Amino acid sequence: QAKQAGRNTVRFFNPQMQAEISQRMKLESELHQAVKEQQFELFYQVQINHQMQPTGAEALLRWRHPTKGIITPIEFIPQMEESGLIVELGYWILNSACEQLDQWQKNSHTKNLTLSINVSSKQFKQAQFVEQCREIIHRYHIAPQKLKMELTESLLLDDINGTIKQMHSLNALGILFSLDDFGTGYSSLQYLKKLPLYQLKIDRSFVDELTTNNSDQSIVKMIIAMANSLGVNVIAEGVETLEQQHALIQMGCEHYQGYRYSKPLPIDIFEQYIQQASINAYSA
Ligand code: C2E
Ligand code: MG
Ligand code: MG
Ligand code: MG
């Protein structure tokens, strides 16, 4: 017994842990390098309305690693949040997204598209965040209601009053808010009614088995009913099949995002997709 406890206390010298620590340090130095060398890129995933017309896109971060190819955010965002690197990268994301939106504003196929970006809590809580947004919105002449920010429930819950104040300042710049992964967090209805939200984004986990799982059906119906009574828009993420889309339409959800329409795409391919969609809409 004592021997076992003794063994546990020397965990720090455990070679497996040692390996994990050095791997994390390696990732961290690679991430610093990646920010410096601009190895990041935004992919764009289309958002569709009930008439099957594109209304906008969500910008999703990708890391074009020099030897490993494209790496998705789950593999590096947590570490970037921990190290604080996400703040610098977040500024780059905001700036790049708005630069793109400005391009879209000037082209007939894309001028009505909105663009959503994911904002991490560290970035949102920066003292200069509102000022940075103001500067970028003006730099790129972003029209009101074109830029959306996706926030998560956990971000909103601590310092709720400060958060609401900041959301109002950003609203005044024309920025809209979407509550990402909705249903997976713990926000109470008390909080929800106070937040200046434009949209609730139903988490993919409820859409996955929507056509077969009764509880998921009830949850999605409840989210839609709640959104309607709060007067906010609803979008479902992770829509992969026609059956899921039909179920969502029947429940009154009018905006969708998921592989059924398109995966997140590099910018040139995304723009081809949009152009094709608008040609199809004209000939229909
Ligand atoms: P999220 O914001 O909830 O994004 C949705 C994720 O679901 C994306 O994964 C997207 O590629 C994936 N997805 C979309 N449609 C489908 C579908 O039909 N089926 C399935 N199975 N998956 C689908 P991705 O791009 O790997 O991003 C993962 C998460 O990383 C995002 O979740 C978001 O929380 C975070 N993230 C992505 N880009 C950024 C960013 O620029 N900044 C910050 N702070 N976080 C980001
Ligand atoms: Mg998102
Ligand atoms: Mg989401
Ligand atoms: Mg998600």
Side-chain angles (χ1 to χ4, degrees):
Q1 192 74 33
K3 203 173 173 189
Q4 204 162 16
R7 211 182 284 151
N8 285 341
T9 58
V10 293
R11 258 205 213 121
F12 186 71
F13 300 105
N14 171 329
Q16 192 195 323
M17 261 195 95
Q18 214 47 297
E20 274 168 28
I21 290 169
S22 74
Q23 208 173 357
R24 281 168 60 114
M25 285 171 66
K26 180 166 176 253
L27 176 61
E28 174 137 4
S29 88
E30 279 191 315
L31 285 170
H32 273 281
Q33 189 76 3
V35 170
K36 217 166 44 189
E37 295 181 4
Q38 309 200 343
Q39 293 167 6
F40 293 97
E41 194 172 316
L42 292 177
F43 276 30
Y44 297 84
Q45 186 176 34
V46 73
Q47 297 178 333
I48 298 273
N49 67 14
H50 62 290
Q51 294 165 310
M52 298 299 114
Q53 286 160 340
T55 58
E58 178 178 5
L60 292 156
L61 189 64
R62 297 292 180 264
W63 178 11
R64 220 176 259 283
H65 190 282
T67 56
K68 295 182 202 147
I70 291 190
I71 303 181
T72 60
I74 33 163
E75 296 183 54
F76 60 87
I77 291 259
Q79 182 134 2
M80 290 199 107
E81 301 225 350
E82 235 173 88
S83 67
L85 257 181
I86 193 71
V87 173
E88 191 179 335
L89 185 65
Y91 182 83
W92 178 87
I93 292 166
L94 176 66
N95 190 76
S96 310
C98 288
E99 192 177 5
Q100 189 55 64
L101 200 45
D102 187 27
Q103 293 302 308
W104 289 353
Q105 290 182 146
K106 294 169 178 156
N107 179 308
S108 63
H109 291 304
T110 50
K111 69 176 192 304
N112 293 322
L113 297 178
T114 61
L115 184 54
S116 293
I117 62 169
N118 295 281
V119 175
S120 90
S121 78
K122 269 235 174 92
Q123 185 185 10
F124 190 83
K125 288 182 176 137
Q126 281 262 300
Q128 322 89 296
F129 186 64
V130 174
E131 267 324 300
Q132 289 180 345
C133 290
R134 187 192 316 279
E135 186 207 45
I136 290 175
I137 293 265
H138 290 158
R139 183 185 306 158
Y140 296 110
H141 314 285
I142 302 301
Q145 325 232 304
K146 285 292 185 71
L147 180 64
K148 287 193 271 175
M149 290 186 177
E150 298 196 358
L151 308 178
T152 56
E153 289 169 78
S154 55
L155 178 151
L156 300 172
L157 287 186
D158 57 83
D159 185 23
I160 181 86
N161 291 321
T163 301
I164 291 173
K165 225 177 119 196
Q166 177 148 324
M167 288 171 80
H168 282 297
S169 309
L170 293 162
N171 272 163
L173 298 174
I175 296 168
L176 302 177
F177 292 100
S178 184
L179 193 45
D180 206 353
D181 304 333
F182 185 71
T184 61
Y186 299 92
S187 40
S188 73
L189 302 179
Q190 265 313 326
Y191 284 161
L192 266 187
K193 97 177 171 194
K194 287 196 212 161
L195 296 169
L197 291 172
Y198 168 75
Q199 185 174 63
L200 294 182
K201 195 164 191 183
I202 301 173
D203 190 64
R204 187 168 84 220
S205 60
F206 305 114
V207 177
D208 265 349
E209 294 167 28
L210 189 59
T211 55
T212 51
N213 184 312
N214 285 326
S215 359
D216 287 341
Q217 280 168 17
S218 310
I219 291 168
V220 170
K221 278 185 196 159
M222 190 198 66
I223 294 174
I224 294 165
M226 201 164 67
N228 287 340
S229 69
L230 291 169
V232 307
N233 182 288
V234 204
I235 184 167
E237 69 175 14
V239 181
E240 295 185 352
T241 68
L242 183 61
E243 290 71 28
Q244 289 168 345
Q245 178 190 297
H246 280 327
L248 287 160
I249 290 177
Q250 229 161 27
M251 295 176 186
C253 174
E254 300 193 333
H255 296 268
Y256 326 93
Q257 184 181 338
Y259 295 168
R260 157 141 185 85
Y261 316 101
S262 167
K263 294 202 164 178
L265 301 171
I267 186 61
D268 47 334
I269 304 182
F270 175 78
E271 287 179 347
Q272 284 169 25
Y273 175 97
I274 292 296
Q275 186 159 2
Q276 198 54 50
S278 80
I279 291 168
N280 291 345
Y282 277 120
S283 57

